[in-house]
């Protein structure tokens, strides 16, 4: 259970079966002002994510019971919290698969704990969905797609579209400047923050995820258009 003091701080759930590493990560996060909890197995991670409703999950892919990818799939059925995966696997495919099932960012082991804390701080600076009343000034329509930029809500053919925070941030950035072609770096700075250091092609993975949810492909894009040699811009629907 979270204490009264913890309720005012962002909650980070650290899912790591290596006890020493988990303790170090939590110590740094607490020092940075966050409330923390830990889980050591896949089933425990799903149970705690449901019970605690954390703001961020730091999720190791190599877990007993359930692997990290299956944990993330299950968590995404009830939570849109930020997920930062950590993995000892160096292959690019492992990182891309992790992102494709709903992770927002990744770090490859061994990593700097200070960098991990900086990544947590960066994702928490991104805009989150807020309750509010839609108005004609904030709702943008692209065919069957409705984007309420004030309430941070997205509907496709009248139905709410379940997006991760990163997917929603990318779509909102494009929708707020529909005539602008954004480079990958510009999208990274808008969604991840200008202090983030990483691979620009991370954007491509999240755009591909968005297109799948929007029921389109790069070849039949209605909502997100590829601008050759530059990046992406909002389509007309």
């Amino acid at each position: 259970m979270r204490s009264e003091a913890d309720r005012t701080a962002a909650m980070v759930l650290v899912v790591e079966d290596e006890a020493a590493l988990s303790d170090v990560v939590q110590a740094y996060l607490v020092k940075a002002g966050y409330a923390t909890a830990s889980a050591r197995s896949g089933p425990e991670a799903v149970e705690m994510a449901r019970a605690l409703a954390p703001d961020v999950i730091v999720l190791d892919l190599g877990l007993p019971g359930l692997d990290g990818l299956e944990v993330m799939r299950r968590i995404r059925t009830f939570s849109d919290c930020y997920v930062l995966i950590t993995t000892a696997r160096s292959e690019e495919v492992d990182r891309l698969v992790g992102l494709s099932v709903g992770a927002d960012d990744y770090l490859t082991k061994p990593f700097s704990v200070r960098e991990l804390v900086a990544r947590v701080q960066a994702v928490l600076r991104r805009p989150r969905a807020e309750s509010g009343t839609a108005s004609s000034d904030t709702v943008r329509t692209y065919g069957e797609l409705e984007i309420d930029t004030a309430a941070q809500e997205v509907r496709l053919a009248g139905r709410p579209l379940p997006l991760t925070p990163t997917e929603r941030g990318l779509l909102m950035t494009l929708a707020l400047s529909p005539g602008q072609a954004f480079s990958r770096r510009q999208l990274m700075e808008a969604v991840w923050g200008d202090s983030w250091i990483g691979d620009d092609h991370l954007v491509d993975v999240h755009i591909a995820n968005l297109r799948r949810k929007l029921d389109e492909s790069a070849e039949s894009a209605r909502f997100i258009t590829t601008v050759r040699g530059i990046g992406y811009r909002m389509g007309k629907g």
Side-chain angles (χ1 to χ4, degrees), residues 8-82:
T8 62
M11 164 62 73
V12 183
L13 174 60
V14 179
V15 184
E16 169 61 60
D17 63 337
E18 187 179 334
L21 178 57
S22 176
D23 290 345
V24 170
V25 169
Q26 287 188 85
Y28 272 77
L29 287 167
V30 168
K31 187 176 180 181
Y34 300 108
T36 69
S38 66
R40 301 286 166 80
S41 70
E44 184 185 13
V46 176
E47 180 181 341
M48 293 189 69
R50 193 184 298 275
L52 295 177
D55 299 285
V56 181
I57 298 176
V58 177
L59 176 64
D60 182 35
L61 289 186
L63 294 170
L66 292 172
D67 70 21
L69 295 179
E70 181 58 28
V71 168
M72 189 155 43
R73 289 188 185 97
R74 297 190 185 191
I75 288 173
R76 280 292 177 242
T77 65
F78 60 82
S79 173
D80 72 344
C81 70
Y82 295 113

Side-chain angles (χ1 to χ4, degrees), residues 2-236:
R2 296 172 68 170
S3 69
E4 194 66 35
D6 287 345
R7 289 172 190 162
T8 62
M11 164 62 73
V12 183
L13 174 60
V14 179
V15 184
E16 169 61 60
D17 63 337
E18 187 179 334
L21 178 57
S22 176
D23 290 345
V24 170
V25 169
Q26 287 188 85
Y28 272 77
L29 287 167
V30 168
K31 187 176 180 181
Y34 300 108
T36 69
S38 66
R40 301 286 166 80
S41 70
E44 184 185 13
V46 176
E47 180 181 341
M48 293 189 69
R50 193 184 298 275
L52 295 177
D55 299 285
V56 181
I57 298 176
V58 177
L59 176 64
D60 182 35
L61 289 186
L63 294 170
L66 292 172
D67 70 21
L69 295 179
E70 181 58 28
V71 168
M72 189 155 43
R73 289 188 185 97
R74 297 190 185 191
I75 288 173
R76 280 292 177 242
T77 65
F78 60 82
S79 173
D80 72 344
C81 70
Y82 295 113
V83 177
L84 193 160
I85 59 174
T86 65
T87 176
R89 308 168 193 169
S90 60
E91 294 85 352
E92 182 70 13
V93 66
D94 288 316
R95 298 194 291 269
L96 297 186
V97 168
L99 293 167
S100 73
V101 296
D104 297 285
D105 202 350
Y106 70 86
L107 281 172
T108 302
K109 294 179 177 179
F111 54 79
S112 160
V113 180
R114 286 188 178 88
E115 181 181 358
L116 184 148
V117 173
R119 297 288 185 91
V120 169
Q121 292 170 333
V123 296
L124 285 170
R125 286 196 294 267
R126 301 181 199 174
R128 299 303 301 267
E130 297 176 358
S131 59
T133 303
S135 72
S136 58
D137 293 332
T138 64
V139 176
R140 303 185 180 222
T141 303
Y142 305 88
E144 293 182 319
L145 183 66
E146 291 184 354
I147 302 172
D148 187 338
T149 57
Q152 296 278 304
E153 294 176 350
V154 181
R155 292 181 177 81
L156 182 63
R159 296 186 299 274
L161 195 64
L163 301 178
T164 68
T166 296
E167 292 163 359
R168 187 167 56 241
L170 285 168
L171 190 58
M172 293 291 166
T173 299
L174 294 170
L176 284 167
S177 301
Q180 179 177 344
F182 287 86
S183 69
R184 293 181 181 87
R185 177 50 55 180
Q186 286 174 316
L187 289 170
M188 292 286 285
E189 291 177 354
V191 177
W192 279 262
D194 56 13
S195 62
W196 195 89
I197 299 174
D199 187 353
D200 289 3
H201 290 282
L202 202 64
V203 172
D204 297 335
V205 179
H206 288 290
I207 290 291
N209 294 341
L210 255 177
R211 281 174 165 161
R212 279 194 294 273
K213 293 181 179 181
L214 292 168
D215 196 24
E216 68 175 21
S217 65
E219 294 73 25
S220 62
R222 296 176 294 158
F223 306 116
I224 301 175
T225 302
T226 299
V227 182
R228 292 189 181 278
I230 299 177
Y232 304 96
R233 72 165 166 242
M234 200 69 201
K236 297 181 179 179

